[in-house]
Amino acid sequence: MRKFDCPSCGADVTFRSAQSVYAVCAYCQSMVVRTDIDVRSIGVMAALPDDMSPLQLGSGGYFEEQPFTLIGRLKIGWRDGLWNEWHLLMADGKRGWIGEAQGSFSISFEVEGALPRDVEATVAHCRALLTSGKAAEARPGFAVQLGGATLRAVDIKLATCLGSEGELPFAAPKGRRTVAIDCIGRQGEFATLDHDGREAHAYVGRYVEWDAFRFTNLRPLEGW
């Protein structure tokens, strides 16, 4: 864990993960980028749209009997709705993501190393179609091989970052656009493929029931 003074307001900006390079100051909402020796501000993050998520920064939980803490969040919007991507830090230092959409939850971890060429080419092709106004031609149904499993694409969408908070492994300013492809396998596997205009990424995991996460330090909400 490392702490820096926010370049804008002087408040503590904490990086709990050694791989986090970006954070939003909790006090002044400055977007802060970490370098090897210091931090610098790259602007101000707009307030996140409110939602009814019971999760918050600092919420804890368990996955495969190992504890984790939520250290960052992306609020993502697309044509038909919104969802949250929570950046998590496992007790062993591994980072991952919890996707929260309409009451369902998934957990995934980034595939390390270069993606298979066919997967990278497919994601880039889908992005080209969606960003050029040819979304109807970007059809799901194709199969990809990831993490030793065969998964089938079930949804392709152009997503826009509506805001972020906490610490993240990349800069996520408001307006950042990505193509997101959701895939599922026969044994409950889940994967998201995305392309931010520069490179493709893949995150593999599975859907998990709420109770299985054993969440703690939840946001106070009426009815919970």
Side-chain angles (χ1 to χ4, degrees):
M1 179 184 297
R2 296 189 64 185
K3 288 185 178 181
F4 298 88
D5 292 337
C6 173
S8 298
C9 73
D12 285 345
V13 177
T14 302
F15 288 86
R16 281 173 280 192
S17 170
Q19 296 171 304
S20 295
V21 296
Y22 170 87
V24 177
C25 175
Y27 294 91
C28 71
Q29 306 307 306
S30 289
M31 296 180 287
V32 176
V33 174
R34 184 176 72 175
T35 64
D36 290 339
I37 59 174
D38 208 346
V39 293
R40 60 186 176 89
S41 176
I42 58 171
V44 176
M45 176 61 66
L48 281 171
D50 195 18
D51 61 21
M52 293 299 291
S53 173
L55 301 177
Q56 62 181 346
L57 296 185
S59 290
Y62 287 83
F63 177 65
E64 295 182 344
E65 296 307 313
Q66 184 174 168
F68 64 78
T69 303
L70 302 185
I71 62 173
R73 174 171 65 143
L74 302 176
K75 170 68 73 173
I76 307 295
W78 68 297
R79 182 186 60 193
D80 293 334
L82 309 170
W83 81 90
N84 287 312
E85 293 286 350
W86 294 95
H87 184 211
L88 64 87
L89 180 64
M90 306 292 294
D92 64 0
K94 187 177 182 179
R95 297 174 300 121
W97 296 88
I98 288 180
E100 176 192 16
Q102 298 179 335
S104 66
F105 296 85
S106 63
I107 187 167
S108 59
F109 301 89
E110 185 168 8
V111 174
E112 298 181 358
L115 297 181
R117 289 187 177 181
D118 60 331
V119 174
E120 188 168 4
T122 297
V123 181
H125 178 63
C126 289
R127 179 179 175 84
L129 291 175
L130 266 68
T131 55
S132 64
K134 300 178 181 179
E137 297 180 30
R139 298 185 180 92
F142 56 84
V144 295
Q145 296 283 337
L146 284 172
T150 300
L151 302 104
R152 188 163 301 278
V154 294
D155 187 41
I156 304 173
K157 50 186 172 286
L158 184 61
T160 302
C161 179
L162 303 180
S164 59
E165 62 177 337
E167 61 183 277
L168 300 165
F170 49 78
K174 183 178 180 180
R176 176 179 181 265
R177 304 184 82 190
T178 58
V179 164
I181 304 173
D182 289 339
C183 307
I184 58 174
R186 292 185 176 181
Q187 304 300 319
E189 303 95 339
F190 168 83
T192 292
L193 313 175
D194 72 37
H195 201 298
D196 61 5
R198 296 180 301 166
E199 57 185 351
H201 301 267
Y203 305 85
V204 176
R206 65 175 186 260
Y207 287 102
V208 178
E209 294 294 328
W210 168 267
D211 289 344
F213 279 124
R214 293 148 56 191
F215 282 117
T216 60
N217 189 30
L218 295 173
R219 176 185 171 198
L221 289 174
E222 186 176 352
W224 280 79

